[in-house]
Amino acid sequence: MTECKVAVVGTGYVGLTTGACLAEFGHDVVCLDIDSNKIDRLSSGEIPIYEDGLQHLVSRNTEEGRLRFTTNSAALDDREFAYLCVPTPRRNDGSVDLSFLESAVDSLRPHLRPGAVVINKSTVPVRCTRFVEDRLRRPDVSVVSNPEFLREGSAVADFLKPDRVVIGSDDREAASRVASLYLETRAPIMITDAASAETIKYVANAFLATKLSFANSVAALCEAVGAEASEVLLGIGYDGRIGHQFLRPGPGWGGSCFPKDTRALVHIADEAGYDFALLRSVIETNETQFARVVDRIGQLAPGGLEGASITVLGLTFKAGTDDLRESPALEIVDRLIAAGATVTGYDPTVIDAVAPSWDVAGDPYSACEGSDVVAVLTEWDEFKDLDLQKVADAMRGDVIFDARSVVDRARATRCGLRYAGIGTR
Ligand code: UDX
């Protein structure tokens, strides 16, 4: 494989994973960030995020001289490719804040060599590749969209062995050059126009969110008609057109991507004159799921939520990450407190208090001390192996509400706990 000179602008979880994995493919990579403290930590081998396999990849490639970190834009001077991996946060109205992208583009302008390719990995509104081209004002440089489909917790594996690589540009030659960076993955590489690549990213996340809201709705239906959601979803999943993945009911979906991207797509569609009613309803169904979970916990607590003591096991938006952004668990905790409950949380990755209004315990059993209802809201493996007798002994009440279907129901019952879940009788 030909080794290429690559820059990655932005060292968040997408940028850092991109930089480390491209170096692993054998490319010569320099990662840039405006945060000098972060660059110092990265240069000394310290990884600011919890991501499986990333530490190892960064250390090895730094030691072998293929990966370095800097705040100095002059490092862009000899680069053939410059990735943009900066945040694109959501504004309250669902629109996307492009200010980080704008300043990153401005920092590239004076440095890029003629013939370089700018590769945008930040999730941006459709037609933003054109916006980057216009702002860059460098007709001798091509801009290509290359959306990321990385899941937190498995971002390294997703980058090294992706389902597909999508590259969008109206400049086919530039797109083919970008494709060559990914030959090592042996994944299908799809080259399309820029607007289609940008749309693929949003539509992929919108479809996955739709699947999840559908699964949560099916779980509610099963509760109403007395069916078992796990059986029903397993039963439909055998149909190859439906599949088994992404159909696990839960307390609602969250994280740094789905809530932001689904709202952004509704906004993009609105602005283009299309009312994406289905996706609006997918988002509303998720809001309803938070409310349903809180109501359910209220029904399970002996005297309702007012004055109840509730334990929440799992605070991150899913297992395998320390990310609390848009976590359904935190949304539910806020609603429980607003309804008058006292909440104690526990999560294997959360040590400090998250908010002054509730406590975070150092282990699951002390979190259950004096509790009326224990609610499992994140699917950490650790919760599968809980000593349920110890949980039962620590509690004041006897209800375990397993919103992620990780606790063994029969074992819970043997320990004197009343088991409740989502989509189950
Ligand atoms: C997601 C997309 O999967 C990824 O392709 C994109 O690049 C970024 O957004 P991520 O945010 O890391 O990745 O989370 P993901 O693993 O997709 O889970 C999203 C949410 O759905 C979580 O809250 C998770 O708990 C929930 N979920 C997922 C379920 O409730 N049930 C499931 O079956 C799967």
Side-chain angles (χ1 to χ4, degrees):
M1 190 200 61
T2 333
E3 170 199 304
C4 300
K5 288 185 183 310
V6 180
V8 178
V9 179
T11 57
Y13 102 96
V14 173
L16 193 55
T17 307
T18 301
C21 291
L22 288 171
E24 183 70 12
F25 291 156
H27 302 300
D28 169 16
V29 181
V30 57
C31 291
L32 288 104
D33 204 291
I34 48 170
D35 182 343
S36 56
N37 180 32
K38 201 169 180 186
I39 290 296
D40 288 346
R41 287 170 63 190
L42 285 165
S43 300
S44 65
E46 201 187 315
I47 306 294
I49 50 170
Y50 174 90
E51 194 58 58
D52 195 23
L54 192 57
Q55 175 81 60
H56 174 65
L57 230 57
V58 169
S59 309
R60 189 173 59 216
N61 286 286
T62 309
E63 275 160 30
E64 293 175 7
R66 287 185 300 269
L67 181 64
R68 64 198 164 89
F69 300 93
T70 182
T71 53
N72 187 352
S73 302
L76 290 158
D77 290 352
D78 66 342
R79 300 287 110 177
E80 305 160 67
F81 299 97
Y83 278 86
L84 291 169
C85 300
V86 292
T88 48
R90 169 166 62 92
R91 294 202 193 91
N92 286 341
D93 65 354
S95 67
V96 179
D97 174 359
L98 292 177
S99 53
F100 293 105
L101 190 73
E102 288 170 347
S103 42
V105 170
D106 294 346
S107 73
L108 295 180
R109 189 182 306 108
H111 291 285
L112 292 175
R113 69 185 215 190
V117 181
V118 172
I119 305 166
N120 185 37
K121 259 203 183 297
S122 308
T123 301
V124 291
V126 182
R127 306 221 172 276
C128 199
T129 303
R130 178 62 52 80
F131 168 84
V132 172
E133 272 166 9
D134 291 347
R135 187 158 181 119
L136 193 58
R137 296 195 308 276
R138 286 283 309 266
D140 57 332
V141 166
S142 297
V143 182
V144 167
S145 162
N146 174 213
E148 58 87 10
F149 303 100
L150 310 177
R151 289 164 298 176
E152 287 186 34
S154 57
V156 169
D158 288 346
F159 197 102
L160 297 176
K161 286 270 159 257
D163 291 338
R164 79 307 206 181
V165 175
V166 174
I167 300 168
S169 177
D170 303 324
D171 176 348
R172 291 287 157 138
E173 202 261 3
S176 305
R177 282 171 61 201
V178 174
S180 70
L181 294 170
Y182 293 101
L183 292 180
E184 200 79 354
T185 66
R186 299 180 176 270
I189 297 179
M190 181 178 172
I191 296 184
T192 180
D193 62 282
S196 299
E198 292 159 344
T199 308
I200 287 170
K201 164 70 195 195
Y202 280 108
V203 171
N205 279 350
F207 185 77
L208 292 168
T210 304
K211 243 183 144 177
L212 294 177
S213 280
F214 184 81
N216 285 332
S217 301
V218 168
L221 170 81
C222 288
E223 284 170 22
V225 302
E228 278 297 321
S230 56
E231 300 283 306
V232 171
L233 292 165
L234 182 68
I236 64 166
Y238 283 119
D239 184 328
R241 294 169 300 176
I242 297 172
H244 294 295
Q245 288 191 50
F246 252 72
L247 281 180
R248 254 183 303 110
W253 41 266
S256 62
C257 289
F258 285 180
K260 170 171 86 76
D261 293 351
T262 46
R263 283 176 177 84
L265 188 54
V266 166
H267 186 83
I268 290 165
D270 261 348
E271 292 217 307
Y274 173 62
D275 175 17
F276 205 153
L278 174 65
L279 191 54
R280 276 195 288 108
S281 154
V282 165
I283 296 167
E284 272 165 37
T285 300
N286 200 44
E287 292 287 322
T288 310
Q289 189 67 4
F290 302 148
R292 279 178 56 80
V293 167
V294 172
D295 283 352
R296 192 74 193 289
I297 296 173
Q299 287 155 13
L300 293 166
L305 285 177
E306 181 72 53
S309 172
I310 311 292
T311 301
V312 169
L313 297 183
L315 301 171
T316 52
F317 80 96
K318 64 173 187 179
T321 173
D322 60 353
D323 199 342
L324 294 169
R325 283 178 291 175
E326 306 248 12
S327 170
L330 296 192
E331 177 68 36
I332 289 162
V333 167
D334 284 347
R335 292 176 188 222
L336 290 170
I337 291 170
T342 306
V343 175
T344 306
Y346 166 76
D347 188 284
T349 67
V350 180
I351 299 155
D352 301 324
V354 177
S357 49
W358 53 286
D359 291 328
V360 172
D363 71 273
Y365 307 105
S366 48
C368 295
E369 209 65 58
S371 175
D372 293 308
V373 178
V374 171
V376 180
L377 299 187
T378 309
E379 71 283 20
W380 286 105
D381 274 346
E382 176 177 336
F383 302 147
K384 291 182 185 150
D385 305 321
L386 280 177
D387 181 338
L388 293 172
Q389 194 57 61
K390 236 168 130 177
V391 169
D393 292 346
M395 290 176 70
R396 173 169 74 186
D398 62 356
V399 180
I400 187 152
F401 174 64
D402 178 15
R404 295 282 194 170
S405 308
V406 290
V407 173
D408 184 330
R409 183 181 198 140
R411 210 152 54 81
T413 312
R414 277 200 302 277
C415 295
L417 290 167
R418 282 192 294 141
Y419 179 95
I422 291 185
T424 182
R425 277 162 285 159

Coordinates of all heavy atoms in Angstrom, one line a residue, residues 117-170:
V117 N -6.4 17.3 -0.8 CA -7.8 17.0 -0.7 C -8.3 17.2 0.7 O -7.7 16.7 1.7 CB -8.1 15.6 -1.1 CG1 -9.6 15.3 -1.1 CG2 -7.6 15.3 -2.5
V118 N -9.3 18.0 0.9 CA -9.9 18.2 2.3 C -11.1 17.2 2.4 O -11.9 17.1 1.5 CB -10.5 19.6 2.4 CG1 -11.3 19.7 3.7 CG2 -9.3 20.6 2.4
I119 N -11.0 16.4 3.5 CA -12.0 15.3 3.6 C -12.9 15.6 4.9 O -12.4 15.7 6.0 CB -11.3 13.9 3.9 CG1 -10.3 13.7 2.7 CG2 -12.3 12.8 4.0 CD1 -9.3 12.5 3.0
N120 N -14.1 15.9 4.6 CA -15.0 16.2 5.8 C -15.6 15.0 6.4 O -16.4 14.3 5.8 CB -16.1 17.2 5.3 CG -16.8 17.7 6.6 OD1 -16.3 17.8 7.6 ND2 -18.1 17.8 6.4
K121 N -15.3 14.8 7.7 CA -15.9 13.7 8.4 C -16.9 14.2 9.5 O -17.7 13.4 10.0 CB -14.8 12.9 9.2 CG -14.5 11.6 8.4 CD -13.9 10.6 9.3 CE -13.5 9.4 8.5 NZ -14.6 8.7 7.9
S122 N -16.9 15.5 9.7 CA -17.9 16.0 10.7 C -19.3 15.9 10.0 O -19.4 16.0 8.8 CB -17.7 17.5 10.9 OG -16.3 17.8 11.2
T123 N -20.3 15.6 10.9 CA -21.6 15.4 10.4 C -22.2 16.8 10.1 O -22.3 17.6 11.0 CB -22.5 14.7 11.4 OG1 -21.9 13.4 11.6 CG2 -23.9 14.4 10.8
V124 N -22.5 17.1 8.8 CA -22.9 18.4 8.4 C -24.1 18.4 7.6 O -24.5 17.4 7.0 CB -21.7 19.1 7.6 CG1 -20.5 19.4 8.4 CG2 -21.4 18.2 6.4
P125 N -24.9 19.5 7.6 CA -26.1 19.6 6.8 C -25.8 19.3 5.3 O -24.7 19.5 4.8 CB -26.6 21.0 6.9 CG -25.9 21.5 8.1 CD -24.6 20.8 8.3
V126 N -26.8 18.7 4.7 CA -26.6 18.4 3.2 C -26.2 19.6 2.5 O -26.7 20.7 2.8 CB -27.9 17.8 2.7 CG1 -27.8 17.4 1.2 CG2 -28.3 16.6 3.5
R127 N -25.3 19.5 1.5 CA -24.8 20.6 0.7 C -23.7 21.3 1.4 O -23.2 22.4 1.0 CB -25.8 21.5 0.2 CG -27.0 20.9 -0.5 CD -27.4 21.6 -1.8 NE -28.4 20.8 -2.5 CZ -28.0 19.9 -3.4 NH1 -26.8 19.6 -3.6 NH2 -28.9 19.1 -4.0
C128 N -23.2 20.8 2.5 CA -22.1 21.5 3.3 C -20.8 21.4 2.6 O -19.9 22.2 2.8 CB -22.1 21.0 4.7 SG -21.3 22.1 5.8
T129 N -20.6 20.3 1.8 CA -19.3 20.2 1.1 C -19.1 21.4 0.2 O -18.0 22.0 0.2 CB -19.3 18.9 0.2 OG1 -19.6 17.8 1.1 CG2 -18.0 18.7 -0.5
R130 N -20.2 21.9 -0.4 CA -20.1 23.1 -1.2 C -19.8 24.3 -0.3 O -19.0 25.1 -0.7 CB -21.5 23.3 -1.9 CG -21.7 24.5 -2.8 CD -20.7 24.6 -3.9 NE -20.7 23.4 -4.7 CZ -21.7 23.1 -5.7 NH1 -22.6 23.9 -5.9 NH2 -21.6 22.0 -6.4
F131 N -20.4 24.3 0.8 CA -20.2 25.4 1.8 C -18.7 25.4 2.2 O -18.0 26.5 2.2 CB -21.0 25.2 3.0 CG -20.7 26.0 4.2 CD1 -21.2 27.3 4.4 CD2 -19.9 25.6 5.2 CE1 -20.9 28.1 5.5 CE2 -19.5 26.3 6.3 CZ -20.1 27.6 6.4
V132 N -18.1 24.3 2.4 CA -16.6 24.2 2.8 C -15.8 24.7 1.6 O -14.9 25.5 1.8 CB -16.2 22.8 3.2 CG1 -14.7 22.6 3.4 CG2 -17.0 22.4 4.5
E133 N -16.2 24.2 0.4 CA -15.4 24.7 -0.8 C -15.5 26.2 -0.9 O -14.4 26.9 -1.1 CB -16.1 24.1 -2.1 CG -15.6 22.8 -2.5 CD -16.5 22.1 -3.5 OE1 -17.5 22.8 -4.1 OE2 -16.3 20.9 -3.8
D134 N -16.7 26.8 -0.8 CA -16.8 28.2 -0.9 C -16.0 29.0 0.2 O -15.4 30.0 -0.1 CB -18.3 28.6 -0.8 CG -19.1 28.1 -2.0 OD1 -18.4 27.7 -3.0 OD2 -20.3 28.1 -1.9
R135 N -16.0 28.5 1.4 CA -15.4 29.2 2.5 C -13.8 29.0 2.3 O -13.1 29.9 2.7 CB -15.8 28.6 3.8 CG -15.2 29.4 4.9 CD -16.0 29.3 6.2 NE -15.3 30.2 7.2 CZ -15.9 31.2 7.8 NH1 -17.1 31.5 7.5 NH2 -15.2 31.9 8.7
L136 N -13.4 27.9 1.8 CA -12.0 27.6 1.7 C -11.3 28.5 0.6 O -10.2 28.9 0.8 CB -11.8 26.1 1.3 CG -10.4 25.5 1.4 CD1 -9.9 25.6 2.8 CD2 -10.4 24.0 0.9
R137 N -12.1 28.9 -0.4 CA -11.6 29.7 -1.5 C -10.2 29.3 -2.0 O -9.3 30.0 -2.1 CB -11.5 31.2 -1.0 CG -12.8 31.8 -0.6 CD -12.7 33.3 -0.5 NE -11.7 33.8 0.4 CZ -11.8 33.9 1.7 NH1 -12.9 33.6 2.3 NH2 -10.8 34.3 2.4
R138 N -10.1 27.9 -2.2 CA -8.9 27.4 -2.8 C -9.3 26.4 -4.0 O -9.4 25.2 -3.8 CB -8.1 26.6 -1.7 CG -7.4 27.4 -0.7 CD -6.1 28.0 -1.2 NE -5.2 27.0 -1.8 CZ -4.2 26.4 -1.1 NH1 -4.0 26.7 0.1 NH2 -3.5 25.5 -1.8
P139 N -9.5 27.0 -5.2 CA -9.9 26.2 -6.3 C -8.9 25.1 -6.6 O -9.3 24.1 -7.3 CB -10.1 27.2 -7.4 CG -9.6 28.5 -6.9 CD -9.3 28.5 -5.5
D140 N -7.7 25.2 -6.1 CA -6.7 24.2 -6.4 C -6.8 23.0 -5.5 O -6.0 22.1 -5.5 CB -5.3 24.8 -6.4 CG -5.0 25.4 -5.0 OD1 -6.0 25.9 -4.4 OD2 -3.8 25.5 -4.7
V141 N -7.8 23.0 -4.5 CA -7.9 22.0 -3.5 C -9.3 21.4 -3.6 O -10.3 22.1 -3.8 CB -7.7 22.6 -2.1 CG1 -8.2 21.7 -1.0 CG2 -6.2 23.0 -1.9
S142 N -9.4 20.1 -3.6 CA -10.8 19.4 -3.7 C -11.3 19.2 -2.3 O -10.6 18.9 -1.4 CB -10.7 18.1 -4.4 OG -10.3 18.4 -5.8
V143 N -12.7 19.2 -2.2 CA -13.3 18.9 -0.9 C -14.2 17.6 -1.2 O -15.0 17.5 -2.1 CB -14.2 20.0 -0.5 CG1 -14.8 19.7 0.9 CG2 -13.3 21.3 -0.3
V144 N -14.1 16.7 -0.2 CA -14.7 15.4 -0.4 C -15.5 15.1 1.0 O -15.0 15.4 2.0 CB -13.7 14.3 -0.6 CG1 -14.2 12.9 -0.4 CG2 -13.1 14.5 -2.0
S145 N -16.7 14.6 0.9 CA -17.4 14.2 2.1 C -17.2 12.7 2.3 O -17.2 11.9 1.4 CB -18.9 14.4 1.8 OG -19.6 13.7 2.8
N146 N -16.8 12.4 3.6 CA -16.6 11.0 3.9 C -17.1 10.7 5.3 O -16.4 10.7 6.3 CB -15.0 10.8 3.9 CG -14.6 9.4 4.4 OD1 -13.5 9.3 4.9 ND2 -15.3 8.4 4.1
P147 N -18.5 10.5 5.4 CA -19.1 10.4 6.7 C -18.6 9.2 7.5 O -18.2 8.2 7.0 CB -20.6 10.2 6.4 CG -20.6 9.8 4.9 CD -19.4 10.4 4.3
E148 N -18.7 9.4 8.8 CA -18.2 8.3 9.7 C -19.5 7.6 10.3 O -20.5 8.2 10.5 CB -17.4 8.9 10.9 CG -18.0 10.0 11.8 CD -18.8 9.4 12.9 OE1 -18.7 8.2 13.1 OE2 -19.5 10.2 13.5
F149 N -19.3 6.3 10.5 CA -20.4 5.5 11.0 C -19.9 4.8 12.3 O -20.3 3.7 12.6 CB -20.9 4.5 10.0 CG -21.3 5.1 8.7 CD1 -20.5 5.1 7.6 CD2 -22.6 5.7 8.6 CE1 -20.9 5.7 6.4 CE2 -23.0 6.3 7.4 CZ -22.1 6.3 6.3
L150 N -19.0 5.4 13.0 CA -18.4 4.8 14.2 C -19.4 4.8 15.4 O -20.0 5.8 15.7 CB -17.1 5.5 14.6 CG -16.1 5.8 13.5 CD1 -15.0 6.6 14.0 CD2 -15.7 4.5 12.9
R151 N -19.4 3.7 16.1 CA -20.2 3.6 17.3 C -19.2 3.8 18.5 O -18.1 3.2 18.4 CB -20.8 2.2 17.5 CG -21.9 1.9 16.6 CD -22.3 0.5 16.5 NE -21.1 -0.3 16.0 CZ -21.1 -1.6 16.0 NH1 -22.1 -2.3 16.4 NH2 -20.0 -2.2 15.5
E152 N -19.6 4.6 19.4 CA -18.7 4.7 20.6 C -18.6 3.4 21.3 O -19.5 2.6 21.4 CB -19.4 5.7 21.6 CG -19.3 7.1 21.1 CD -19.7 8.1 22.1 OE1 -19.6 7.9 23.3 OE2 -20.3 9.2 21.7
G153 N -17.4 3.1 21.8 CA -17.2 1.8 22.4 C -16.6 0.8 21.4 O -15.9 -0.1 21.9
S154 N -16.9 0.9 20.1 CA -16.3 0.0 19.2 C -15.8 0.8 18.0 O -15.8 0.3 16.9 CB -17.3 -1.1 18.8 OG -18.5 -0.5 18.2
A155 N -15.5 2.0 18.2 CA -15.1 2.9 17.1 C -13.8 2.4 16.4 O -13.8 2.5 15.2 CB -14.8 4.3 17.7
V156 N -12.9 1.8 17.1 CA -11.6 1.4 16.5 C -12.0 0.2 15.5 O -11.6 0.2 14.4 CB -10.6 1.0 17.5 CG1 -9.4 0.2 16.9 CG2 -10.1 2.2 18.3
A157 N -12.7 -0.8 16.1 CA -13.1 -1.9 15.2 C -14.0 -1.5 14.1 O -13.8 -2.0 12.9 CB -13.9 -2.9 16.1
D158 N -14.8 -0.5 14.3 CA -15.7 -0.1 13.2 C -14.9 0.6 12.1 O -15.2 0.6 10.9 CB -16.7 1.0 13.7 CG -17.8 0.3 14.5 OD1 -17.9 -0.9 14.5 OD2 -18.6 1.0 15.2
F159 N -13.8 1.3 12.5 CA -13.0 2.0 11.5 C -12.1 1.0 10.7 O -11.9 1.1 9.5 CB -12.0 3.0 12.2 CG -11.5 4.0 11.2 CD1 -12.0 5.3 11.1 CD2 -10.4 3.7 10.4 CE1 -11.5 6.2 10.2 CE2 -9.9 4.6 9.4 CZ -10.5 5.9 9.3
L160 N -11.5 0.0 11.5 CA -10.6 -0.9 10.8 C -11.4 -1.9 9.9 O -10.9 -2.3 8.9 CB -9.8 -1.7 11.9 CG -8.9 -0.8 12.8 CD1 -8.2 -1.7 13.8 CD2 -7.8 -0.1 11.9
K161 N -12.6 -2.2 10.3 CA -13.4 -3.2 9.6 C -14.8 -2.7 9.4 O -15.8 -3.2 9.9 CB -13.5 -4.5 10.4 CG -12.2 -5.3 10.3 CD -12.1 -6.3 9.1 CE -10.7 -6.7 8.8 NZ -10.1 -6.1 7.6
P162 N -14.9 -1.6 8.6 CA -16.3 -1.0 8.4 C -17.2 -1.9 7.5 O -16.7 -2.7 6.7 CB -15.9 0.3 7.7 CG -14.7 0.1 7.0 CD -13.9 -1.0 7.7
D163 N -18.5 -1.7 7.6 CA -19.4 -2.3 6.7 C -19.2 -1.8 5.3 O -19.4 -2.5 4.3 CB -20.9 -2.1 7.2 CG -21.2 -2.8 8.5 OD1 -20.5 -3.8 8.8 OD2 -22.1 -2.4 9.2
R164 N -19.0 -0.5 5.2 CA -18.8 0.2 4.0 C -18.1 1.5 4.2 O -18.1 2.0 5.3 CB -20.1 0.4 3.2 CG -21.0 1.6 3.6 CD -21.4 1.7 5.0 NE -22.6 2.3 5.3 CZ -23.1 2.5 6.5 NH1 -22.4 2.1 7.6 NH2 -24.2 3.1 6.7
V165 N -17.4 2.0 3.1 CA -16.9 3.4 3.2 C -17.6 4.2 2.2 O -17.8 3.8 1.0 CB -15.3 3.3 2.9 CG1 -14.8 4.7 2.8 CG2 -14.6 2.5 3.9
V166 N -18.1 5.4 2.6 CA -18.9 6.2 1.7 C -18.0 7.5 1.4 O -17.6 8.1 2.3 CB -20.2 6.6 2.2 CG1 -20.9 7.6 1.3 CG2 -21.1 5.3 2.4
I167 N -17.8 7.7 0.1 CA -17.0 8.9 -0.3 C -17.9 9.7 -1.3 O -18.3 9.2 -2.3 CB -15.7 8.5 -0.9 CG1 -14.9 7.7 0.1 CG2 -14.9 9.7 -1.3 CD1 -13.7 7.0 -0.5
G168 N -18.1 11.0 -1.0 CA -18.9 11.8 -1.9 C -18.2 13.0 -2.4 O -17.6 13.8 -1.6
S169 N -18.2 13.1 -3.7 CA -17.6 14.3 -4.3 C -18.0 14.5 -5.7 O -18.3 13.5 -6.4 CB -16.0 14.2 -4.2 OG -15.5 15.4 -4.8
D170 N -18.0 15.7 -6.2 CA -18.3 15.9 -7.6 C -17.0 15.8 -8.4 O -17.0 15.7 -9.6 CB -19.0 17.2 -7.8 CG -20.3 17.2 -7.0 OD1 -20.9 16.1 -6.8 OD2 -20.7 18.3 -6.4

